[in-house]
Amino acid sequence: MAFEFNNIKGKQPLVDYPWRTEVDRLLNWLEGQDPHIHAFCFDLMISCAYIDATSGVEKSIEQCSHISSEYNSHLGFINLCSPCYTNKNKWTYQKAVKPQSGALGKLSSEMILRFIEKLYPELSEVLVIGGSEAADAVLKHKSGLIIFAEVKSAPLVTYPFVFNVPESCLSGNHEKLTITTSQLRSSSSAIFLHGIGPIPLGTLEGALWPFKPLVDFLIDESNKTIINDSINEWLSAKAAYTHKDRTNKMFFLANASGSPPKIAKDLDGWPKKESISDSKTSAGMDRTDDIKKAIYQSLKIGTNLKGDSRLKTAIISNLPAYRHGGEYVTPFTDMMWGLEKDFKTIDGHEAILSKDLRRAFDFIITLEEPILRDMKI
C-alpha cells in the first residue's frame, strides 16, 4: 500500500463540534505553560465533552447532600460520588455515565489531536483519518516529515458535575431525581474539582455550556489560586495512579482505581463486585491492549512507508504509559527492524544497512514526556 499525503482525505480535529472554538480559546491561553497543565486541562475538556455527548443525563443524576449549600445533586464519570468522598470520607456508589463507546473514542482522539495541533507549533497540519484507513491521523511537520499516527487517549481524572435543582425534584440522598429536561436546563450547575469544590458554570441553557463558562473561569487571572490548587490535586492523582498508591486519597478519584477498600463495603454498603473504575479506563495510552495494538499498527504502517525517509510513524496520546510503559513500551523504543530481502553480504557477513532499517515507532507524541528523538515540535 502506498501512502500519498496529498491524496489522503481527512478533516481537522473537532471540526464537527460547535464548542471547538472554546477549546481553542483555552489552548491559546495554554501556550507556553507547563506540560502537566496541558494534561490537566485535557481532562477538564474531556469531562465537558462527556456530559455534552451523553444523552438523557437527567435520568442518572442523584441527590447529594454533601456538595455545598449551593448545589444538591451530582453526576459523575466514575462510580464514586466525589463530594461524599472528599467532603465526608463516605464511599457512596453512584453509577457512572459516559457517552456510547464509539462517541467516546472519537471525542478523546479528536480532543488530543486538537491539543497537539495547537500546542506544538512545528506541526503545520493535523488531519483526522479514522474509518478504514491504515492510520488514525496524519501530521505534517514543518521540516517536511509526514507522520502517520495511531491515537490512544483517555483522561487520568474525570470531573463530575453538580446541580441545584428544584426541591420538588429531590427524592432522598443518592436517589434518582424526578426531573424533566427543561427543569434541568434551567438549573444552575458547576463542575466539581476534586478536593477543591464546585466551580459555577451557570445554567445548562447558557451558550456552549459547559465549555464556555469553564474556559472563562480558567483564563481569568483572578482564579489563579484555585486553579493552581486543583492542578496540585491532579498531580497528586497522577503520582497515586502511577505508583498505585492506595493510601493517597486521589488514587480512587483517578481512573483505573479498581475496587474500593473493604471499609467501603463494611461501613457504607458499597455493592459487592462493583469497582470504582476498571482497567479499561487506564489513563493515556496505559491500557495494555491499547499499547499492543498501537505498536502493532505502527509496525504495520511502517511496512508500507519503508522506502521514504520522510514518512514516519507515531503513537499519540495525552499521557505516556505511566504504569505499563516499562514493560510494554520501553523494550520497543530503540528497536530497529528490517526485511529479509534487504540483507546484503558485506565483508563476508550478512548485514542490513541502517538506511534499510525502521523503528517500531518513530515518535510517541504526548502532552507529558513525549519521545521525539531529534524532531523539534
Side-chain angles (χ1 to χ4, degrees):
M1 182 189 301
F3 287 97
E4 291 292 339
F5 181 79
N6 293 330
N7 295 333
I8 290 174
K9 294 181 180 179
K11 61 182 181 180
Q12 287 189 322
L14 298 182
V15 71
D16 298 328
Y17 302 96
W19 41 259
R20 183 176 82 153
T21 55
E22 297 306 310
V23 175
D24 285 355
R25 198 157 60 95
L26 175 64
L27 291 171
N28 290 336
W29 175 75
L30 282 172
E31 288 181 11
Q33 299 201 47
D34 291 339
H36 68 272
I37 302 177
H38 299 168
F40 162 72
C41 286
F42 173 87
D43 286 0
L44 286 174
M45 290 296 100
I46 280 291
S47 299
C48 290
Y50 279 3
I51 196 167
D52 179 73
T54 302
S55 59
V57 293
E58 67 275 4
K59 299 174 184 177
S60 299
I61 302 172
E62 295 184 6
Q63 179 179 342
C64 178
S65 59
H66 298 141
I67 304 166
S68 70
S69 59
E70 291 85 11
Y71 302 97
N72 56 18
S73 48
H74 166 270
L75 178 78
F77 308 111
I78 58 174
N79 291 330
L80 175 65
C81 175
S82 176
C84 286
Y85 177 64
T86 57
N87 292 338
K88 295 295 181 180
N89 292 315
K90 186 174 175 62
W91 301 88
T92 303
Y93 176 86
Q94 181 177 343
K95 186 172 178 58
V97 297
K98 281 183 184 176
Q100 295 292 325
S101 59
L104 190 152
K106 182 176 185 292
L107 281 169
S108 60
S109 292
E110 293 200 26
M111 186 72 77
I112 187 55
L113 287 171
R114 192 61 175 171
F115 267 63
I116 294 295
E117 180 180 27
K118 296 285 283 184
L119 294 175
Y120 290 163
E122 292 300 310
L123 296 175
S124 59
E125 188 171 16
V126 174
L127 292 176
V128 179
I129 307 300
S132 60
E133 298 289 342
D136 292 331
V138 176
L139 288 61
K140 194 170 185 179
H141 193 270
K142 289 180 179 178
S143 67
L145 295 179
I146 297 171
I147 304 165
F148 293 82
E150 181 78 3
V151 182
K152 301 293 180 187
S153 65
L156 169 71
V157 178
T158 55
Y159 294 90
F161 289 82
V162 294
F163 309 90
N164 185 19
V165 303
E167 290 288 331
S168 60
C169 299
L170 303 176
S171 304
N173 201 38
H174 277 285
E175 297 291 338
K176 294 285 192 296
L177 304 185
T178 304
I179 191 169
T180 65
T181 301
S182 60
Q183 284 177 311
L184 178 61
R185 286 185 56 79
S186 62
S187 299
S188 59
S189 67
I191 191 168
F192 189 85
L193 302 183
H194 307 299
I196 306 299
I199 302 302
L201 300 177
T203 68
L204 282 67
E205 295 171 327
L208 298 176
W209 183 93
F211 296 90
K212 186 180 186 306
L214 180 55
V215 173
D216 286 344
F217 180 88
L218 291 169
I219 67 176
D220 187 336
E221 187 68 20
S222 66
N223 297 322
K224 187 174 182 178
T225 298
I226 296 175
I227 294 167
N228 285 341
D229 289 344
S230 191
I231 290 169
N232 287 333
E233 292 291 335
W234 186 91
L235 288 169
S236 178
K238 185 180 81 169
Y241 170 88
T242 301
H243 303 293
K244 296 186 179 180
D245 180 8
R246 295 171 69 90
T247 66
N248 183 331
K249 197 165 187 174
M250 288 300 294
F251 173 85
F252 294 101
L253 296 169
N255 275 325
S257 64
S259 298
K262 186 174 180 294
I263 192 174
K265 300 179 179 67
D266 294 343
L267 290 185
D268 297 320
W270 187 273
K272 292 181 179 179
K273 299 182 180 179
E274 290 289 351
S275 65
I276 297 174
S277 56
D278 61 26
S279 62
K280 292 180 181 179
T281 64
S282 294
M285 56 177 286
D286 218 357
R287 186 180 175 191
T288 55
D289 284 352
D290 283 349
I291 299 173
K292 294 172 187 176
K293 183 183 177 185
I295 292 176
Y296 167 77
Q297 285 294 105
S298 185
L299 284 165
K300 182 180 177 182
I301 294 168
T303 62
N304 298 309
L305 306 182
K306 197 168 180 300
D308 192 334
S309 61
R310 297 176 307 121
L311 306 182
K312 302 295 183 181
T313 62
I315 301 168
I316 294 177
S317 186
N318 53 311
L319 295 174
Y322 278 126
R323 283 184 180 173
H324 301 110
E327 183 178 1
Y328 288 91
V329 179
T330 302
F332 296 94
T333 300
D334 296 320
M335 188 188 88
M336 307 287 285
W337 63 269
L339 299 176
E340 187 175 15
K341 70 179 182 65
D342 291 326
F343 273 95
K344 302 180 186 301
T345 302
I346 301 174
D347 295 333
H349 299 282
E350 292 294 302
I352 297 181
L353 299 177
S354 60
K355 70 179 182 65
D356 293 322
L357 294 173
R358 286 200 70 97
R359 295 186 181 276
F361 51 81
D362 292 297
F363 315 114
I364 293 183
I365 302 175
T366 47
L367 299 177
E368 287 194 315
E369 301 181 22
I371 297 174
L372 302 176
R373 309 196 195 274
D374 57 353
M375 180 178 69
K376 292 182 179 180
I377 202 164

